[in-house]
């Protein structure tokens, strides 16, 4: 796990097994994400996919540009994708059904392109199809393909190289990563966290940020986790006394807002199974939290459970990647 950025101003984390690499959320500009990957020694061209937890700006800011640049698929739940498309194309007259049709057509074109790459070019039957000739001509000149992609994105800012849907609660795979999305209580269309299991290495990592409280389904999802990125958003006193308008304070504190240091400590003291080698505290508010407070609060909770002293607690950062956590 490499946390490239974590906090209310942008979130993005690389999860990798021996064979598969995915990026969870793309909440900084494409340029900044590529810079962070370079700082963390992560090769962007090695990424297989981008997964999105929910459509809030701090999770999707650089998504479309990055996905188009890397030409990799983006995995969403359907309601999250739908909400994101609406955000990206506020003035569109395209219905969602039309949009899906458009996505399907793009998918077929890509499948044709993939088939072309693995097919003998002298296979006359395949090359005789007018559609494939067009694709072959476009892919022969990389620049023209790039221009075409950029032109398409100007017409449709929500265009992505490929879109795949998952359903929270239903397991799916990318390469040798087995992924289980779980629903989180948060004020977005269909927010979720993820559990990743490397099938070949039997290592489990999880991301659980942007949740108002820890409901039973999250508690049970976060069992037997080796590396856990867990939200510790705000200090209750700092939030109450801080500069946020009343309505925003209410939103953060609500059951669909963010986990306080106190709520995180309560989870660690009471409901956490103690299995993680590393717990990474993330999504800290820069206005309503202090890293020392979050760390102290979580460490106290673990200390009360003497046998868990082997758990190491780290802090994710907003402004820079933290060192990759390797098991
Ligand atoms: Zn959010
Ligand atoms: Zn967030």
């Amino acid at each position: 796990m490499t946390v490239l950025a974590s906090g209310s101003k942008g979130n993005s984390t690389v999860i990798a097994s021996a064979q598969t690499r995915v990026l969870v959320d793309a909440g900084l500009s494409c340029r900044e994400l590529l810079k962070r990957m370079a700082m963390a020694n992560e090769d962007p061209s090695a990424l297989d996919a981008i997964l999105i937890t929910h459509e809030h700006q701090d999770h999707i800011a650089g998504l479309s540009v990055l996905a188009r640049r890397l030409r990799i698929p983006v995995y969403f739940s359907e309601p999250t994708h739908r909400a994101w498309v609406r955000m990206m194309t506020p003035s569109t007259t395209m219905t969602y059904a039309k949009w899906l049709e458009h996505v399907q057509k793009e998918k077929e074109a890509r499948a044709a392109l993939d088939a072309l790459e693995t097919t003998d070019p002298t296979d006359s039957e395949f090359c005789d199809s007018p559609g494939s000739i067009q694709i072959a001509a476009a892919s022969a000149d990389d620049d023209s393909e790039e221009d075409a992609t950029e032109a398409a994105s100007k017409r449709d800012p929500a265009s992505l190289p490929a879109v795949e849907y998952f359903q929270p609660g239903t397991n799916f795979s990318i390469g040798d990563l087995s992924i289980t999305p779980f629903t989180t209580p948060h004020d977005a269309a269909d927010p979720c966290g993820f559990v990743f299991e490397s099938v070949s290495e039997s290592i489990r990592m999880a991301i659980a940020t942007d949740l108002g409280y820890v409901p039973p389904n999250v508690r049970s999802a976060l069992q037997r986790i080796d590396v856990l990125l867990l939200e510790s958003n705000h200090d209750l006193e700092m939030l109450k006394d801080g500069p946020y308008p009343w309505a925003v304070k209410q939103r953060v504190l609500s059951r669909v807002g963010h986990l306080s240091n106190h709520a995180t400590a309560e989870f660690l003291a009471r409901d956490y199974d103690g299995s993680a080698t590393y717990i990474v505290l993330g999504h800290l508010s820069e206005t309503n939290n202090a890293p020392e407070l979050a760390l102290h609060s979580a460490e106290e909770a673990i200390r009360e459970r003497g046998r868990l002293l082997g758990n190491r607690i780290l802090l994710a950062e907003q402004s820079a990647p933290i060192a990759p956590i390797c098991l």
Side-chain angles (χ1 to χ4, degrees):
M1 175 188 286
T2 305
V3 185
L4 299 173
S6 186
S8 331
K9 291 181 182 154
N11 296 274
S12 192
T13 300
V14 177
I15 299 282
S17 65
Q19 294 159 32
T20 311
R21 305 187 99 69
V22 299
L23 188 70
V24 181
D25 291 333
L28 299 171
S29 70
C30 173
R31 178 194 294 250
E32 184 62 25
L33 285 169
L34 293 174
K35 196 175 120 193
R36 301 268 174 122
M37 284 185 230
M39 287 164 79
N41 263 328
E42 280 291 340
D43 175 8
S45 69
L47 287 172
D48 297 293
I50 302 174
L51 277 64
I52 298 299
T53 57
H54 64 298
E55 74 281 11
H56 286 164
Q57 194 63 23
D58 58 318
H59 298 259
I60 52 96
L63 172 63
S64 54
V65 179
L66 185 73
R68 289 197 292 260
R69 170 78 71 90
L70 301 179
R71 296 180 200 178
I72 51 176
V74 183
Y75 288 69
F76 302 85
S77 80
E78 189 174 345
T80 297
H81 181 233
R82 189 190 286 240
W84 178 77
V85 169
R86 245 187 260 121
M87 283 168 66
M88 296 297 287
T89 51
S91 60
T92 187
T93 50
M94 201 189 266
T95 63
Y96 188 68
K98 271 228 168 89
W99 163 253
L100 276 185
E101 197 182 304
H102 169 77
V103 167
Q104 184 59 31
K105 272 192 190 139
E106 284 195 332
K107 207 172 178 177
E108 282 162 13
R110 264 191 321 278
L113 188 62
D114 286 349
L116 194 66
E117 278 167 2
T118 53
T119 306
D120 180 354
T122 57
D123 181 340
S124 60
E125 192 189 306
F126 192 85
C127 285
D128 278 346
S129 137
S132 59
I133 286 169
Q134 223 177 350
I135 291 162
S139 65
D141 178 351
D142 207 43
D143 282 348
S144 74
E145 193 191 356
E146 184 114 0
D147 289 348
T149 313
E150 276 316 299
S153 68
K154 283 204 183 88
R155 278 198 309 275
D156 175 9
S159 99
L160 292 171
V163 172
E164 301 286 345
Y165 288 146
F166 59 74
Q167 274 188 333
T170 304
N171 176 275
F172 65 100
S173 290
I174 302 176
D176 68 340
L177 277 181
S178 162
I179 303 166
T180 309
F182 55 89
T183 294
T184 49
H186 191 57
D187 53 357
D190 189 22
C192 68
F194 295 107
V195 173
F196 299 90
E197 179 160 356
S198 147
V199 179
S200 49
E201 296 144 317
S202 299
I203 291 172
R204 285 159 58 83
M205 299 192 176
I207 296 182
T209 68
D210 299 77
L211 61 170
Y213 69 107
V214 184
N217 78 304
V218 175
R219 249 181 278 157
S220 61
L222 298 184
Q223 284 177 8
R224 295 177 295 109
I225 302 297
D226 299 297
V227 183
L228 171 61
L229 173 54
L230 180 64
E231 172 161 63
S232 192
N233 179 259
H234 55 275
D235 174 78
L236 287 168
E237 296 307 314
M238 283 180 78
L239 178 70
K240 281 177 189 153
D241 297 340
Y244 279 12
W246 173 247
V248 179
K249 288 182 185 177
Q250 286 305 305
R251 190 227 136 205
V252 173
L253 285 168
S254 78
R255 300 274 279 180
V256 288
H258 292 276
L259 280 190
S260 67
N261 296 344
H262 177 75
T264 301
E266 216 171 56
F267 165 76
L268 291 174
R270 227 181 35 198
D271 299 317
Y272 163 61
D273 69 357
S275 61
T277 310
Y278 293 96
I279 297 168
V280 187
L281 302 175
H283 216 300
L284 270 67
S285 164
E286 287 186 325
T287 312
N288 303 306
N289 209 351
E292 317 79 67
L293 286 178
L295 191 62
H296 178 75
S297 162
E299 279 178 345
E300 279 296 298
I302 292 292
R303 191 165 303 136
E304 283 167 21
R305 301 175 61 181
R307 67 181 181 85
L308 301 187
L309 286 173
N311 288 209
R312 284 201 54 196
I313 304 180
L314 308 174
L315 282 164
E317 288 178 37
Q318 181 70 89
S319 56
I322 62 166
I325 299 166
C326 302
L327 288 187

